[in-house]
Amino acid sequence: MVSRYVGHLVCGAAVALASCSESSDPTVTPVDVSDAEPGDASEDMRVEDAPTSDADPPPPVGYADDDSLRVNSIQCTGTHNSYHVAPPIEQRVPDWAYTHPPIAVQLADQGARHFELDVYEEDGKFRVTHIPVLDEVTTCETLALCLEEIAGWSGENPGHHPLFVMIELKHSIDIEDWLAPFEETIDQTLGALPDGRRRVVAPDEVRGEAVDLRTAVTTTGWPTLRETRGRVFVMVMQDDGFRDAWLAAHPKGSGSPVFVHAAPTDSHAAFVKFDDPKEQPALDDAAAAGFIVRTRADSVPGAPGDDGLHDSVAALASGAHMVSSDHLTPRGGRPYQFAIPDGTPSRCNPITAPETCTALALEDPALLHGYRYQAPQ
């Protein structure tokens, strides 16, 4: 499919830059979710006998297209090193000179829908930090605390499209001893939805009756948004040690709450990673085949005079479903800021979404709080 957004990928489409003229296409202005107007949901999506005053509008009950849109219909943004706080100036190197707000703030105010956490196992605890001692300040010190922020916001806003959490394990010494506690921390912290379903979407649910995950996502396809709305995917960016231990404990991913990132040829492949969005046609081929793809819009801090526009344009034109950035707000005196054009805060994937998809059908700010799950008929 030819990208429906190529025409928008010009000054102002992917980023807000001081050099952009005021005459830029207003349709690509990043959306401030907090000020968004209610979507054009149809009347049959509202509860008829609810209060109808301006102060207490009828609560929404669902999204009309949730049975036709799937997880891989999405293109969303999120943060790299989502927990990071700049270290004291005397310890700082340029690559570390950035601070993200707490994850709940990123969700509520910056439109982030995927997150990346670096995890170290220390004496049975799962610590989140970049580099111990040298660059260790964080907004959430443990994996459980980071996931609690996500689960809390998710519970208050059940109408969100699925969220994505990528965990990079910084070492896997004695992985067999702490794999079970690691997975238990994820499953228990994210918890359950009010209807009793798990908040985490596990590999078993995606695989279904297929022989393996790769076959499932490339043939049957991903679950629908109805099945995954208000829920969270967790994937581990593994080394060989973790992958081998995970597959030994969970053949085909069975019984695990996490996915493991893989090459498209691996039988357990569902999520794949291309750090360089210009790695084409491999990236778009992987997306078109059915894999969920993560890429990066920029890197920190960038070469002098480099505003990152070349990578953000490539990322947005690609079929990547998760586009990671360190610049959801301007910083360091640079005017560059990354946002999903026409997003609410996400948009339809330019490669894998159906032509009928709209950003509001993926996630409508007006439907976040009052959404109620309705099982497929």
Side-chain angles (χ1 to χ4, degrees):
M1 180 187 300
V2 176
S3 168
R4 289 173 282 157
Y5 301 107
V6 170
H8 290 303
L9 299 179
V10 294
C11 183
V15 294
L17 295 172
S19 59
C20 294
S21 71
E22 295 183 357
S23 61
S24 297
D25 183 353
T27 65
V28 299
T29 302
V31 171
D32 182 349
V33 175
S34 63
D35 294 330
E37 294 294 325
D40 54 353
S42 59
E43 287 299 319
D44 62 355
M45 295 168 63
R46 308 285 176 177
V47 177
E48 295 297 336
D49 58 355
T52 57
S53 69
D54 291 340
D56 193 4
V61 297
Y63 289 79
D65 298 326
D66 268 10
D67 290 323
S68 59
L69 295 174
R70 296 181 178 270
V71 176
N72 63 334
S73 299
I74 296 166
Q75 185 175 74
C76 67
T77 190
T79 47
H80 166 249
N81 293 346
S82 306
Y83 54 85
H84 191 266
V85 175
I89 190 68
E90 62 271 12
Q91 297 175 212
R92 193 175 300 176
V93 297
D95 282 4
W96 303 344
Y98 64 99
T99 295
H100 290 305
I103 288 173
V105 176
Q106 296 178 44
L107 281 159
D109 296 343
Q110 297 184 346
R113 293 296 180 264
H114 80 86
F115 305 93
E116 300 178 16
L117 308 174
D118 293 327
V119 173
Y120 293 79
E121 188 275 333
E122 294 181 356
D123 300 323
K125 296 181 179 179
F126 302 106
R127 182 184 180 194
V128 173
T129 191
H130 189 215
I131 301 175
V133 180
L134 296 177
D135 186 23
E136 63 179 1
V137 188
T138 173
T139 62
C140 46
E141 295 182 353
T142 66
L143 177 60
L145 289 173
C146 295
L147 295 180
E148 282 174 5
E149 286 198 56
I150 292 171
W153 184 88
S154 175
E156 294 173 356
N157 299 274
H160 67 79
H161 71 60
L163 307 176
F164 305 93
V165 179
M166 297 179 67
I167 297 174
E168 183 174 357
L169 295 171
K170 304 306 285 189
H171 58 76
S172 55
I173 299 173
D174 300 324
I175 179 64
E176 293 84 359
D177 295 336
W178 56 264
L179 176 60
F182 169 73
E183 294 184 322
E184 184 176 314
T185 296
I186 292 169
D187 209 0
Q188 290 190 354
T189 305
L190 290 176
L193 302 176
D195 59 30
R197 294 176 299 151
R198 298 163 75 184
R199 178 167 278 112
V200 68
V201 183
D204 286 336
E205 190 172 344
V206 174
R207 190 181 68 254
E209 300 299 320
V211 64
D212 54 39
L213 279 168
R214 184 184 189 280
T215 301
V217 301
T218 58
T219 57
T220 306
W222 287 86
T224 65
L225 290 190
R226 181 185 297 276
E227 296 166 311
T228 57
R229 190 170 295 283
R231 303 178 70 190
V232 182
F233 286 87
V234 180
M235 68 283 320
V236 175
M237 296 189 285
Q238 41 62 245
D239 59 15
D240 291 346
F242 181 88
R243 181 198 59 210
D244 294 344
W246 182 77
L247 287 172
H250 305 290
K252 303 179 182 179
S254 179
S256 177
V258 305
F259 295 79
V260 175
H261 106 266
T265 54
D266 292 333
S267 63
H268 62 281
F271 291 85
V272 299
K273 180 166 69 78
F274 293 87
D275 282 336
D276 185 351
K278 300 185 294 297
E279 197 172 340
Q280 295 288 4
L283 190 161
D284 282 357
D285 288 347
F291 302 106
I292 297 288
V293 178
R294 176 267 191 188
T295 194
R296 293 189 66 175
D298 45 62
S299 59
V300 180
D306 178 11
D307 60 15
L309 181 59
H310 59 296
D311 279 354
S312 60
V313 169
L316 288 167
S318 76
H321 305 87
M322 298 178 281
V323 183
S324 177
S325 174
D326 289 305
H327 299 267
L328 298 190
T329 57
R331 71 166 198 271
R334 291 190 172 93
Y336 169 68
Q337 178 180 359
F338 181 77
I340 297 289
D342 304 319
T344 63
S346 303
R347 70 171 183 178
C348 302
N349 189 286
I351 301 296
T352 58
E355 291 289 343
T356 55
C357 177
T358 66
L360 287 173
L362 299 175
E363 183 174 307
D364 184 343
L367 303 184
L368 284 185
H369 296 282
Y371 170 82
R372 293 207 306 270
Y373 173 71
Q374 295 175 310
Q377 299 299 315

